[in-house]
Amino acid sequence: MDAPTTAQSASSATAPNTSAARHASATSATDTHCPYCALQCGMALRPATGPGPHPVPLTVVERPAFPVNRGALCGKGANAAAVLDGAARLTTPLVRRSGVLTPASWPEALDRIAEGLRGTAEAHGRDAVGVFGGGGLTNEKAYLLGKFARTVLGTATIDYNGRFCMSSAAAAGVRAFGLDRGLPFPMADIPQAGCVVLVGGNPAETMPPFVRYLRELQQNGGRLIVVDPRRTRTAELADLHLQPRPGTDLALALGLLHLIVADGRTDEEFIATRTTGWSQTRAAAMAHWPEHVEAVTGVPLPRLREAARVFGEATTAMVLTARGPEQHAKGTDTVSAWINLCLATGNMGRPYAGYGCLTGQGNGQGGREHGQKADQLPGYRKLTDPAARAHVAAVWGVDPASLPGPGPSAYELLDSLGSTVRALLVAGSNPVVSAPGSARITERLGALDFLAVCDVVLSETAELADVVLPVTQWAEETGTMTNLEGRVILRRQAVAPPPGVRSDLVVLHELADRLGGSTKGFPTDPEEAFEELRLASAGGVADYSGIDYRRITAEDGVFWPCPSPGHPGTPRLFLDRFATEDGRARFTPVQHRPPAEEPCAEYPVRLTTGRVLAQYQSGTQTRRVPALNSAAPGPFVELHPQLGARLGLREGDQVAVVSRRGRAIAPARLTTAIRPDTVFMPFHWPGEGSANLLTNPALDPTSRMPEFKTCAVRLELP
């Protein structure tokens, strides 16, 4: 299939019938945002009309005035209302009796959870109770989930699935700039740049409306360089495509910086006045000779030189990373190498230039700012900072000494289930499908003394639970999200939830009551929760204290930091200073090192994983939408015809992919768009075709990100 030429044509690739996405007057529809990715595209929802029953109560309509997507929606967004279909929903609590999940009343289910959590804490200590959150939770939910873990449960054992998404970029951003915000500039700046290097991202499939910004960049005379081991739909749009071996992005960035230095294209004034650490970083880059980088990455030297020339000659330039370079055991250092390239050329701290991360999950940004991450308190405060602990404790009305310290990261938490962690509360996550080495994580979930899951459907993780609670989603509730630009937006309730379904805020309120916490500190009204979040974030790096629901509505979102009601918000960070003690950005000298697993005689091929246009994350929502599931009904193994010929494979033949951790079977998809030494699998499905049966849980020492993006495998006939 040819690459879509616009964001709108990208949507038609997944949903031939997009008539639901029609424009409607503001008086007949509720303005809100898409339930999927970090763009948080504006849309409106109108009650379904016409004769006959309506299993889906709402219709999606365009919202052209919202600046991020200007009305464009991908297939997932256009079909978003289908996730409200009651036939796919949980509508009553479930409690396991004699090994079987059976319907239960809300009081019984809540009592069972309270008993399970309390009993575990009494028998094994508070940290034996874990909480696992999600990057799709609203800011209000994420905030109160963290507060619940630390004040009611008193446990340090809380983290969330966003650790698997952008944690390496976040760690590198904090290391270089003193703070992490996905994009430190609005997306409207991207078309004004002279060059954009997109590393390991495929927005033509993962966030199609974003493609408009890349096309406008080219229309304005800017150049697009895409770094990806596959010739994706996004790579087909590029002026220059670099196709490295998976796991070699760090070497590539070092090689480009070497060439920038050798060609005299560094910005010495910027380096001298706004940075520190250049001499060591320069030395590290100069040790990576272009010929060596060519051998490591497989990218031909002429293409390396062309990329360095285009980036170095641009008046302004950007580097945008996504999961490709980040989901590695060296992901933080890899992102630091790309940041170093921006700093060395003076492409930070000025308009239309800089480094940014394309955050993936809907609230991946806000979700890591307000307390559900293992080492953070609201406002992106450090849990180890005495002043931060004192401030948040005062808002919560507790003794700072009572707050637990940092806990284990997401994978370490999951890996310890059944041993040090004996009970787990999961909210908005499906680690059976999304965690690396998923067979082991499924086994560990089964070893728990007690598991409770809050979700909108009976996910693969919920199927293992002792108690499952049906909770509201998206259009059934109001709450704020923070998109990849740091723009705080408001999702509005457009329809009542099905009978028997309650909000996560109600769940936390009721559990706090049963566990001896103060219900006053766990409001069920989202705006009341946000008002407390404002206070808790005040003075922090991610300061929301000047933002309220009224401002968000009036201004189409407000960029943080926004420290007072009169503050305009901060669309562009770092124009005057960086968020470090001396106001200077930090270069970080890094050295290339190989992936945790390299190909060998037994496992001679590299596996990389990712997403496809019609599905989203673990597929918990999208696999239940007929229009999307028909477009992408199941897993596949993408491989080069040369590799397929070695096994005698034809298009559609079943092929087994085997790693040191597991075996997956899926149909072969033959294409010259991938390197002959690499295979690709999307990770949206459970069962025998699950890509995460194979992936490597080796962790980055700084971000604790697992190495999803490369591992050694072999191919077999099943």
Side-chain angles (χ1 to χ4, degrees):
M1 180 182 291
D2 292 335
T5 56
T6 66
Q8 200 61 47
S9 65
S11 76
S12 66
T14 63
N17 179 15
T18 57
S19 60
R22 298 185 298 270
H23 181 61
S25 67
T27 58
S28 63
T30 301
D31 285 347
T32 189
H33 296 269
C34 179
Y36 294 113
C37 81
L39 287 180
Q40 284 301 286
C41 291
M43 59 169 58
L45 297 173
R46 185 174 60 195
T49 58
H54 295 283
V56 178
L58 298 172
T59 298
V60 175
V61 295
E62 294 175 3
R63 187 179 162 196
F66 187 68
V68 169
N69 60 308
R70 292 173 267 171
L73 295 171
C74 73
K76 292 186 286 289
N79 287 277
V83 302
L84 301 169
D85 187 347
R89 296 291 301 282
L90 284 170
T91 57
T92 185
L94 302 174
V95 170
R96 192 170 297 279
R97 300 183 179 93
S98 302
V100 179
L101 286 172
T102 58
S105 69
W106 270 93
E108 179 190 3
L110 290 165
D111 287 347
R112 284 282 296 271
I113 294 175
E115 291 165 6
L117 301 182
R118 181 189 298 111
T120 299
E122 291 173 351
H124 303 287
R126 289 180 177 270
D127 288 346
V129 178
V131 177
F132 198 79
L137 300 179
T138 63
N139 289 320
E140 293 81 357
K141 292 180 182 181
Y143 168 74
L144 288 180
L145 188 67
K147 180 181 180 181
F148 176 80
R150 294 186 172 101
T151 64
V152 176
L153 299 178
T155 181
T157 312
I158 176 172
D159 208 41
Y160 81 126
N161 62 18
R163 176 80 66 170
F164 298 158
C165 193
M166 67 295 295
S167 60
S168 292
V174 170
R175 189 159 70 180
F177 312 130
L179 68 76
D180 149 54
R181 197 178 84 184
L183 297 181
F185 43 75
M187 280 184 283
D189 279 9
I190 293 171
Q192 307 306 317
C195 175
V196 169
V197 180
L198 176 58
V199 188
N202 184 18
E205 297 201 53
T206 60
M207 47 177 64
F210 181 85
V211 172
R212 168 178 286 166
Y213 293 96
L214 303 180
R215 289 204 170 277
E216 290 175 354
L217 163 81
Q218 293 172 312
Q219 291 164 5
N220 292 339
R223 304 287 298 279
L224 174 63
I225 300 172
V226 172
V227 179
D228 200 299
R230 304 166 60 225
R231 192 174 69 249
T232 63
R233 295 181 178 188
T234 306
E236 289 177 344
L237 304 176
D239 298 291
L240 179 62
H241 176 206
L242 307 182
Q243 202 165 1
R245 296 184 181 97
T248 64
D249 295 310
L250 176 50
L252 179 63
L254 286 161
L256 292 177
L257 183 53
H258 180 115
L259 290 166
I260 290 285
V261 174
D263 293 343
R265 300 187 191 278
T266 56
D267 186 332
E268 296 299 324
E269 181 180 357
F270 179 89
I271 291 170
T273 59
R274 300 205 60 188
T275 73
T276 62
W278 170 236
S279 61
Q280 301 95 323
T281 298
R282 183 185 186 280
M286 298 315 286
H288 289 75
W289 289 91
E291 293 79 6
H292 173 66
V293 171
E294 178 184 45
V296 170
T297 64
V299 177
L301 184 54
R303 285 183 167 259
L304 291 172
R305 293 191 184 280
E306 175 68 2
R309 183 190 65 79
V310 171
F311 188 84
E313 288 182 352
T315 304
T316 59
M318 295 178 175
V319 172
L320 305 177
T321 66
R323 307 300 79 75
E326 299 166 13
Q327 288 182 322
H328 292 274
K330 57 178 183 294
T332 304
D333 282 355
T334 300
V335 175
S336 289
W338 290 103
I339 290 173
N340 290 342
L341 188 64
C342 290
L343 293 175
T345 52
N347 282 300
M348 280 301 306
R350 58 190 178 112
Y352 317 131
Y355 163 77
C357 163
L358 297 185
T359 304
Q361 295 191 79
N363 202 30
Q365 183 66 53
R368 66 183 185 264
E369 295 170 356
H370 296 300
Q372 66 172 334
K373 193 163 175 275
D375 56 353
Q376 287 177 358
L377 289 170
Y380 221 135
R381 289 180 161 91
K382 294 180 180 178
L383 194 50
T384 54
D385 178 2
R389 293 170 67 88
H391 173 85
V392 174
V395 174
W396 289 350
V398 300
D399 183 347
S402 70
L403 296 178
S409 71
Y411 181 79
E412 291 162 307
L413 189 163
L414 295 172
D415 192 50
S416 68
L417 300 179
S419 54
T420 56
V421 179
R422 307 297 292 268
L424 184 68
L425 174 65
V426 177
S429 188
N430 189 14
V432 165
V433 179
S434 63
S438 57
R440 172 168 173 78
I441 298 308
T442 302
E443 178 184 285
R444 301 322 305 156
L445 285 162
L448 284 166
D449 296 337
F450 182 78
L451 172 63
V453 175
C454 303
D455 213 329
V456 300
V457 297
L458 191 65
S459 70
E460 289 73 20
T461 302
E463 289 175 354
L464 304 177
D466 297 289
V467 180
V468 182
L469 297 181
V471 292
T472 52
Q473 61 167 321
W474 178 51
E476 299 162 355
E477 61 189 9
T478 293
T480 60
M481 308 284 279
T482 305
N483 81 345
L484 76 171
E485 309 166 290
R487 183 195 301 259
V488 185
I489 54 93
L490 182 65
R491 285 184 182 173
R492 295 174 179 80
Q493 182 178 6
V495 66
V501 174
R502 300 185 184 180
S503 166
D504 295 271
L505 301 184
V506 172
V507 170
L508 294 174
H509 179 93
E510 293 289 341
L511 289 177
D513 181 42
R514 284 164 168 78
L515 291 167
S518 170
T519 57
K520 183 180 179 182
F522 293 90
T524 60
D525 177 70
E527 188 166 8
E528 185 179 346
F530 189 79
E531 289 301 304
E532 184 179 304
L533 181 157
R534 292 175 63 195
L535 296 175
S537 74
V541 172
D543 190 334
Y544 283 32
S545 59
I547 305 174
D548 58 26
Y549 279 21
R550 179 196 59 78
R551 277 197 69 180
I552 295 171
T553 301
E555 300 174 25
D556 277 329
V558 182
F559 290 86
W560 70 260
C562 183
S564 67
H567 191 280
T570 314
R572 295 183 184 89
L573 297 168
F574 314 136
L575 295 181
D576 300 315
R577 69 188 315 273
F578 293 94
T580 56
E581 289 186 6
D582 61 5
R584 290 171 173 256
R586 308 280 194 257
F587 279 104
T588 302
V590 292
Q591 300 283 343
H592 175 68
R593 55 189 184 274
E597 253 181 29
E598 285 275 61
C600 61
E602 187 177 1
Y603 301 97
V605 178
R606 300 172 192 266
L607 168 71
T608 190
T609 65
R611 287 166 48 188
V612 297
L613 179 59
Q615 298 288 352
Y616 179 71
Q617 304 298 70
S618 69
T620 303
Q621 296 161 293
T622 49
R623 285 188 275 116
R624 291 168 170 83
V625 176
L628 301 177
N629 217 36
S630 63
F636 58 86
V637 180
E638 183 180 282
L639 67 158
H640 196 280
Q642 293 176 11
L643 187 55
R646 297 178 197 171
L647 289 176
L649 289 171
R650 296 174 298 180
E651 181 76 13
D653 287 351
Q654 293 290 306
V655 59
V657 185
V658 184
S659 78
R660 291 175 172 86
R661 288 153 297 282
R663 188 172 191 260
I665 301 174
R669 185 173 293 183
L670 304 179
T671 175
T672 58
I674 193 166
R675 295 177 54 93
D677 58 3
T678 300
V679 297
F680 167 83
M681 291 185 71
F683 60 79
H684 309 289
W685 292 274
E688 70 173 9
S690 177
N692 279 324
L693 292 169
L694 309 168
T695 48
N696 189 356
L699 300 181
D700 181 292
T702 303
S703 67
R704 315 308 288 170
M705 168 74 82
E707 190 151 271
F708 287 98
K709 285 301 182 191
T710 185
C711 69
V713 299
R714 66 172 181 265
L715 304 185
E716 299 175 346
L717 296 177

